[in-house]
Amino acid sequence: MRVLKTMLASFSMLMLSAAVAVAAPMAALQDAPAPASVDVHTTTTTTTWYTDPMWIGIGAVAVIVVIVLIVMAARGKDSTTTVIR
């Protein structure tokens, strides 16, 4: 329990110091002149077939099926012979 309290106190101090470190530059930026105009141009992007999540899922299922088939084939190689007299 003492370790948890120490970690929580350390995390709190870290967050407090981060908030103070961010607050000082933000106060200086409040008196800045008006922002310049920004033009945003977006382009369309396409995904290739091998990065499409559907094909990644299909590939993962195929790999699992191949592994299961290999395991099943390896288990079936018992060379026991039943001799009936």
Side-chain angles (χ1 to χ4, degrees):
M1 189 69 175
R2 186 182 312 169
V3 173
L4 182 62
K5 286 182 181 179
T6 305
M7 287 175 49
L8 185 59
S10 299
F11 180 74
S12 300
M13 292 299 289
L14 178 68
M15 294 304 293
L16 181 64
S17 64
V20 170
V22 170
M26 293 302 286
L29 289 176
Q30 288 179 354
D31 296 329
S37 67
V38 177
D39 294 328
V40 177
H41 298 284
T42 59
T43 59
T44 58
T45 59
T46 59
T47 58
T48 53
W49 68 269
Y50 52 85
T51 60
D52 190 13
M54 181 185 70
W55 287 108
I56 292 173
I58 291 171
V61 169
V63 167
I64 290 171
V65 167
V66 168
I67 291 172
V68 167
L69 289 174
I70 291 171
V71 168
M72 289 175 62
R75 289 182 59 190
K77 289 190 176 183
D78 293 336
S79 62
T80 58
T81 304
T82 305
V83 177
I84 301 175
R85 295 183 190 206

